Amino acid sequence: MGKMLLIIVAASLIWMGFSSTAVRESLVEATTQTSHAYRQAKANNLAKSGVDYAMNQLALDSTWSGVQSKPFDNGTIDAYAASTSNLYPDRSGGSNDAKQITSIGAYEGVTDTIKVVVQFPPKLLPPPSFKYALASNAKLTVGGAALIHTENDDPINANIHTNSDLEVSGASTVRGYGSYSNSTNLSDSDASNYFKPYDTTTGQKLVQKVDGVEFPQYNLAKLEAEATVKYSGNQHFSGNLTMGSEENPAIYYIDGDLTISGNISGYGAFIVTGDIDITGSVTIDAITNNDLPNRLGLYAGDDMKIAGGSQVYAQLYVEDELKSTGTSDIYGLAVAKNGIKAGGDMTIHYKPMSDNVIPQTWHVERAGTPYIVSYYE
């Protein structure tokens, strides 16, 4: 009987040992599975964060292409963006402005991948060079008794900029800041003789060297496509010319040179493939109330010259060189690619760019905020 009891006790101990081992193995397996599920969930969350990160980067810069092994939440993110014509990841579709985002989240040896296709709605914005009273892609010269201020001395700085050399002399006054990307003839002490901003920024130099700004690349074919009136050959407008209304602006396309020696009124634009010469006591006024934004644009494919007692209420864009002399007045802003020479008693009465001057062509197209069109994990 005693031996039998010992056998039973021994068997029980052996069974309990096997059972305890099985329990431990089960607990280890459950813990391992739980740990893997946790790491998988973390990797998935990291992949989702990578999508968000990529979309934020693309909203800032539509050419952004990706980042590798970016540390995030104790793991890493690999996120890439590539142009695609497919509206669904890795599938055929039909789009010209889509990008596929591939985001890989990694956490403690576990990875998860999410693919997303995004599109960019078009967004029309004023060109960066149009935020100045005067902007030139080449040398900018301000001399004589030129005055550059804001219309009605509204306390908005009438800043000037050149992507090249800035030269200021004579009795000129600029009621704003100056910037250049190459060189200037002004020392810091000289600058205070010419630059007198309405609104000063602590620590900002009156004239400073900066990176160049973008000048638009306009397509004449697109400009011509919006024309309501077309002329072939050189044109001379004298007397009085009334353009369109605010609701229906007139857009004159002239394949040649344009000379204006009369008065222009109304709403619209002149698109001229050659030179624009504004001479004599000319008034080009798109509005009757000068407190309103300008609705008139002048585009010169070559040079633009403004002389005499001209008064021009417009926004000017010149592919070549802009020259202004005499007692001319410009109410608006002027942008020229190949240089600006502002002299004599010329006055720029700066008016910020209007949003409705031939917006389809005067603005530049940018990618708007991306939005998701398809997604899979």
Side-chain angles (χ1 to χ4, degrees):
M1 183 67 178
K3 288 183 180 181
M4 180 61 70
L5 181 60
L6 288 174
I7 291 172
I8 291 173
V9 169
S12 297
L13 290 175
I14 292 171
W15 180 85
M16 289 176 63
F18 283 129
S19 178
S20 177
T21 299
V23 169
R24 285 197 302 271
E25 289 177 350
S26 178
L27 289 173
V28 169
E29 183 179 355
T31 302
T32 301
Q33 290 176 351
T34 302
S35 176
H36 181 78
Y38 173 77
R39 286 178 290 159
Q40 186 67 47
K42 289 285 288 186
N44 180 258
N45 287 334
L46 286 165
K48 291 177 180 177
S49 297
V51 170
D52 293 338
Y53 176 80
M55 292 187 65
N56 288 334
Q57 294 302 307
L58 288 170
L60 297 173
D61 177 8
S62 61
T63 66
W64 182 83
S65 60
V67 66
Q68 187 174 7
S69 299
K70 179 178 178 60
F72 189 82
D73 194 21
N74 297 321
T76 60
I77 294 171
D78 291 354
Y80 307 98
S83 297
T84 180
S85 60
N86 303 331
L87 291 180
Y88 299 92
D90 304 327
R91 290 171 56 187
S92 61
S95 173
N96 295 320
D97 59 352
K99 287 208 171 185
Q100 178 174 305
I101 296 172
T102 301
S103 176
I104 304 170
Y107 184 81
E108 294 185 357
V110 177
T111 62
D112 193 43
T113 300
I114 296 175
K115 292 185 178 181
V116 173
V117 173
V118 298
Q119 282 189 290
F120 299 84
K123 184 177 183 180
L124 295 175
L125 298 171
S129 51
F130 274 60
K131 69 178 182 179
Y132 301 93
L134 289 178
S136 174
N137 196 43
K139 186 175 182 178
L140 171 56
T141 302
V142 179
L147 170 62
I148 302 171
H149 73 140
T150 302
E151 187 183 28
N152 300 323
D153 283 324
D154 190 322
I156 298 173
N157 288 334
N159 301 326
I160 65 175
H161 172 80
T162 171
N163 283 351
S164 182
D165 302 328
L166 175 63
E167 183 178 299
V168 184
S169 61
S172 304
T173 300
V174 179
R175 297 305 309 270
Y177 288 98
S179 55
Y180 62 95
S181 300
N182 192 23
S183 66
T184 183
N185 68 318
L186 301 175
S187 65
D188 289 345
S189 59
D190 291 335
S192 63
N193 296 326
Y194 302 105
F195 290 84
K196 306 178 189 303
Y198 298 105
D199 185 16
T200 58
T201 301
T202 303
Q204 182 172 341
K205 297 173 63 175
L206 293 173
V207 176
Q208 59 182 335
K209 189 171 185 178
V210 299
D211 292 335
V213 301
E214 179 187 357
F215 281 69
Q217 301 288 332
Y218 287 123
N219 185 322
L220 275 175
K222 289 185 177 181
L223 295 174
E224 182 182 7
E226 292 196 24
T228 58
V229 181
K230 295 183 183 182
Y231 291 100
S232 179
N234 299 340
Q235 302 296 314
H236 183 186
F237 291 165
S238 59
N240 298 312
L241 173 67
T242 301
M243 301 183 73
S245 64
E246 185 173 9
E247 293 76 19
N248 297 293
I251 301 176
Y252 283 67
Y253 181 89
I254 298 169
D255 189 7
D257 298 335
L258 171 63
T259 300
I260 301 175
S261 59
N263 298 317
I264 309 292
S265 61
Y267 295 79
F270 286 99
I271 309 298
V272 180
T273 63
D275 297 335
I276 296 179
D277 192 355
I278 301 170
T279 183
S281 297
V282 175
T283 299
I284 302 177
D285 190 354
I287 51 180
T288 56
N289 181 350
N290 292 340
D291 290 332
L292 296 175
N294 287 334
R295 263 68 168 193
L296 181 64
L298 297 178
Y299 172 100
D302 286 324
D303 294 331
M304 184 182 296
K305 298 177 183 177
I306 303 174
S310 302
Q311 291 189 341
V312 180
Y313 293 78
Q315 296 171 142
L316 314 178
Y317 182 80
V318 184
E319 287 285 354
D320 206 341
E321 185 177 46
L322 170 65
K323 296 179 182 179
S324 182
T325 60
T327 56
S328 55
D329 289 82
I330 298 173
Y331 293 80
L333 57 86
V335 177
K337 274 192 177 178
N338 205 29
I340 295 177
K341 292 181 180 178
D345 292 328
M346 181 215 73
T347 301
I348 298 285
H349 309 269
Y350 173 55
K351 299 178 72 172
M353 183 181 181
S354 172
D355 288 337
N356 59 347
V357 175
I358 51 171
Q360 290 75 21
T361 50
W362 217 245
H363 288 63
V364 292
E365 185 170 318
R366 293 285 185 270
T369 302
Y371 62 94
I372 295 175
V373 293
S374 60
Y375 176 109
Y376 76 78
E377 299 184 36

